[in-house]
Amino acid sequence: MSLPKYKMTMLALTIGIASAMVGCSSNPKKEVVDTGPQSSELVYIEKAKKALDRHQYTDAAKHLEALETYYPTGNYAQQAQLELLYVKFQQKDYEGAIALADRFIRMNPQHPQVDYAYYVRGVSNMEQNYNGLLRYTSLKQSHRDVSYLKVAYQNFVDFIRRYPSSEYAVDAAQRMKFISQELAESEMNAARFNVKRKAWLAAVERSLWVVEHYPQAPQVPEALATVAYSYEKLGDKATSQQYIDVLKLNYPKLVKSDGTVNMRAARSEGSFINRATLGIFGKEAQTMSEQNVEDIEAPEEKRSLTNRLSFGLLDRPKTENTESTQPAE
């Protein structure tokens, strides 16, 4: 039995379309042929430097990657890796910067500037914690996920342990202090939540963690007050009184005249914004991350390799050096 004419037509169209699709998919795509290096390694590195001076990071990355590809054992290979590490950071490709830092450390453990790779790895992990739209909201960073900050802290610990005399060590130590305050605030935020839901033992554990691991953090007075208050709620008057006695000796304003804990005063003991600035960021509520970005983006006519690699922290013009010696507000 033959098919109706219109069905024959539809069948023919279907077969034709299917054949055309199979034919198109079977055609091999034109492969991009690598024609090899277009310039000498000296030309590549000079072009990269000019692009960096103009803040043209995409062009700089292209020249540096070509230099790495075509001259992996050349005279400028290691310098290109360090420059590319800087470029990735400036492009806010923090994962790329971390990967490059790890590779440089693994391949060049004795390089005289390997400390820079350790340093950038920590800074990049720190930046990853602040990266994204939430950094521009009123939500405190320490009240969000702080996993990258914990990694960054360990990066800086490893860096300072290996290179305590590095030119980046002072900045790394300041960042560690800042991170420790962020982590302490994160713990105390959890402790406050536990107090609100009357989970007294959990509040004690969070607060004691702050006292034990971040003894220099400004959250310690509130942590001690929270421990004393929570033990009182648990019915352990003796332990509560021990912590109240500590508060009387060190923070008498946090104990009321009747000998009980003044939790309201403890929670308002220095605003978080003032604590987080560490006195080195001026009066505005800036994070360490934002201050670093301002330094990076500061316009400069001529910048040395050292200045670029240090994100603007080192080898500044004389006018900047003069300003940097002024005490922070």
Side-chain angles (χ1 to χ4, degrees), residues 247-302:
L247 289 172
K248 285 180 179 179
L249 289 174
N250 298 278
Y251 312 103
K253 293 182 180 180
L254 304 188
V255 181
K256 296 179 181 179
S257 56
D258 60 358
T260 59
V261 179
N262 188 342
M263 288 300 296
R264 182 184 296 273
R267 290 175 180 172
S268 62
E269 181 71 13
S271 70
F272 174 75
I273 291 176
N274 290 333
R275 294 199 302 264
T277 57
L278 306 180
I280 59 176
F281 301 115
K283 297 180 180 179
E284 296 298 325
Q286 294 177 303
T287 66
M288 193 80 167
S289 169
E290 290 168 338
Q291 177 70 16
N292 183 60
V293 170
E294 287 183 0
D295 287 340
I296 293 171
E297 295 177 347
E300 299 175 9
E301 293 182 3
K302 293 183 179 180

Side-chain angles (χ1 to χ4, degrees), residues 82 112-117 119 159-160 163-174 304-316:
L82 290 172
Q113 287 183 301
V114 70
D115 60 328
Y116 170 73
Y119 169 72
F159 163 65
I160 292 180
Y163 306 101
S165 302
S166 170
E167 55 192 352
Y168 311 108
V170 173
D171 181 75
Q174 289 182 338
S304 68
L305 174 62
T306 304
N307 182 265
R308 289 200 301 269
L309 294 182
S310 65
F311 302 152
L313 295 173
L314 302 174
D315 196 18
R316 297 179 177 180

Side-chain angles (χ1 to χ4, degrees), residues 29-36 38 70:
K29 294 182 179 179
K30 293 183 179 179
E31 296 183 0
V32 178
V33 179
D34 188 349
T35 58
Q38 304 299 309
Y70 299 125

Side-chain angles (χ1 to χ4, degrees), residues 226-254:
T226 302
V227 173
Y229 182 77
S230 298
Y231 271 123
E232 181 184 358
K233 292 297 183 180
L234 286 168
D236 190 345
K237 301 294 184 181
T239 305
S240 176
Q241 188 60 48
Q242 290 177 2
Y243 284 95
I244 289 175
D245 292 341
V246 173
L247 289 172
K248 285 180 179 179
L249 289 174
N250 298 278
Y251 312 103
K253 293 182 180 180
L254 304 188

